[in-house]
Amino acid sequence: MKKSGERSKKSVRIGALLIVLSMALTACGGGTSSDNPDQAAGTPEQTTKTPVKVVLNWFAKSEHGGFYAAEENGIYDDKNLDVTIEPGGPQVSSIQIVASGKAEFGVAHADQILLARKEGIPIVALATTFQISPQALMYHEESGITDFGDLNGRTVFIQQGQPYWEFLKHKYKLDSVKEVAYTGQHSNFIEDPQSASQSFVNGEPYVVEKQGVKVKTKLIADSDYKPYAAVIYTTEKYLKEHPETVKAFIGGTVEGWNDYKENYEKINKKINEVNTNLSEDEIAFGEEAQREYVYGYDAEEHGVGYMTEERWTELMKQLIEIGLLDQEMDVKTVFTTDYLPEH
């Protein structure tokens, strides 16, 4: 009985010693315990990133530099996001894709967002890339064109259904223009020195001048039609159900744009990998030509992405004036700046 009692006391002492050692290891960070109370309680540490997709409004270009900077430099990762950037194209409608739930975010121009709302598609603008759209009409240097009214009697290569073109036709009474569908190819424009073509000042003029054709451009904004361009949006439903993810994505994208401003050379190489149809020098031209439109105007004071109720209201009234909208809407339901980072 004595040996049995000694063995019992010895077992207790060993058990106590093991407990002390275990506590010491825990205090020193040893063993498998963690500072995370959920993990300590047996719950695995949360490391899964939230997957989201953004559909661009065109093939990858300098105008999407902020997205690719956020992806390439780990900014989205830091926001705990797994972001897929899907390029657009002439047959791609980001609005249809986002509205159907196949992507969380899209990029479109402000007038397209208003027209989608008219059709009952509940999307909400969250941030703009361009304070002033770089959309322009391009024409031959020797054509004699100085203002939009000079387009009468000429051929204009234009993508059908563009709200800005309807505005120009209305304001400048362009009733004798020959409209030809814009295809992205410039040979017909080059061959007709009296013609004009849609363009972006940070894109097409560079391509055409490399072919030995001297051109000038006139910003659509010079007509006082000034929609925000390359606007990031989501659906009302996704915004309501996932406000933190929206805030993280918009914050990350704005950080990406600020990063692109300083590290554009690195990101331009990434854009060139995604869109091999563009040369590096063309992307570099686009980045330089667009800087003022992204970082200037209201963005200079309020930060990249900023939008105002005044601008949205003015655009809405212009669309009513040309018959593309049939009634006013509360623009405060169309856009929000609540998810932009503090500046």
Side-chain angles (χ1 to χ4, degrees):
M1 294 293 294
K2 183 177 179 181
K3 289 182 179 180
S4 176
E6 288 174 352
R7 284 197 299 270
S8 178
K9 290 178 182 179
K10 187 176 181 180
S11 297
V12 170
R13 286 196 298 272
I14 292 172
L17 180 60
L18 289 172
I19 291 172
V20 172
L21 285 171
S22 175
M23 292 175 65
L25 285 169
T26 300
C28 293
T32 58
S33 297
S34 166
D35 292 336
N36 187 327
D38 291 335
Q39 187 175 355
T43 302
E45 186 177 2
Q46 179 66 29
T47 58
T48 304
K49 290 180 169 58
T50 303
V52 297
K53 179 188 291 186
V54 56
V55 182
L56 305 181
N57 56 326
W58 198 247
F59 303 111
K61 297 175 64 177
S62 59
E63 67 186 73
H64 308 117
F67 298 100
Y68 287 105
E71 177 188 54
E72 187 74 3
N73 293 330
I75 296 171
Y76 287 140
D77 285 339
D78 292 343
K79 300 289 185 182
N80 205 38
L81 297 176
D82 178 12
V83 178
T84 299
I85 304 173
E86 184 173 298
Q91 306 302 321
V92 177
S93 168
S94 70
I95 290 176
Q96 290 181 1
I97 294 171
V98 173
S100 69
K102 295 178 181 177
E104 288 73 28
F105 300 96
V107 179
H109 298 322
D111 44 19
Q112 294 173 321
I113 290 173
L114 283 168
L115 295 176
R117 297 278 306 196
K118 172 195 173 186
E119 299 301 321
I121 302 174
I123 53 178
V124 182
L126 304 164
T128 187
T129 301
F130 294 110
Q131 292 293 322
I132 297 294
S133 173
Q135 183 83 57
L137 288 179
M138 172 176 65
Y139 50 91
H140 295 254
E141 197 174 70
E142 73 273 19
S143 66
I145 295 173
T146 59
D147 200 3
F148 297 108
D150 297 330
L151 296 171
N152 265 324
R154 303 174 189 260
T155 296
V156 176
F157 297 94
I158 198 86
Q159 186 178 358
Q160 298 302 303
Q162 292 291 333
Y164 73 82
W165 180 239
E166 297 304 316
F167 178 86
L168 293 178
K169 288 195 294 184
H170 174 81
K171 181 172 182 177
Y172 295 94
K173 298 179 173 55
L174 302 179
D175 51 9
S176 60
V177 170
K178 180 183 177 183
E179 298 178 31
V180 178
Y182 176 80
T183 64
Q185 303 299 317
H186 307 295
S187 56
N188 290 334
F189 165 75
I190 290 172
E191 291 171 3
D192 182 354
Q194 294 300 311
S195 67
S197 174
Q198 70 176 59
S199 71
F200 282 86
V201 295
N202 56 332
E204 286 84 354
Y206 180 81
V207 175
V208 172
E209 292 208 336
K210 279 187 72 174
Q211 299 181 54
V213 180
K214 294 293 184 182
V215 297
K216 291 184 177 181
T217 58
K218 190 150 186 73
L219 276 177
I220 302 303
D222 290 343
S223 71
D224 291 327
Y225 186 74
K226 300 177 181 178
Y228 291 116
V231 177
I232 308 167
Y233 65 89
T234 189
T235 62
E236 288 181 352
K237 183 176 186 291
Y238 192 83
L239 181 60
K240 181 179 180 180
E241 295 178 355
H242 304 281
E244 293 304 316
T245 301
V246 171
K247 191 174 186 65
F249 179 75
I250 294 300
T253 304
V254 169
E255 285 184 40
W257 273 109
N258 292 329
D259 183 271
Y260 186 53
K261 188 178 183 179
E262 306 299 329
N263 300 302
Y264 56 86
E265 290 181 345
K266 172 187 174 183
I267 304 306
N268 286 349
K269 293 181 183 298
K270 173 65 177 179
I271 294 171
N272 188 227
E273 290 175 8
V274 177
N275 185 1
T276 56
N277 290 322
L278 292 180
S279 62
E280 281 195 39
D281 58 339
E282 186 178 346
I283 299 170
F285 169 83
E287 183 279 324
E288 183 176 1
Q290 74 186 22
R291 286 179 198 169
E292 180 184 7
Y293 305 106
V294 177
Y295 305 107
Y297 302 95
D298 284 345
E300 188 171 358
E301 178 181 354
H302 301 283
V304 172
Y306 184 74
M307 301 177 291
T308 69
E309 182 178 343
E310 179 183 8
R311 288 274 300 277
W312 278 97
T313 300
E314 179 184 22
L315 176 61
M316 174 194 66
K317 289 181 177 179
Q318 288 174 325
L319 292 175
I320 290 174
E321 179 185 349
I322 61 177
L324 293 183
L325 288 180
D326 49 19
Q327 61 182 4
E328 292 195 3
M329 60 180 73
D330 182 0
V331 296
K332 287 181 284 189
T333 67
V334 177
F335 87 103
T336 176
T337 57
D338 290 349
Y339 298 86
L340 288 169
E342 293 184 8
H343 180 67

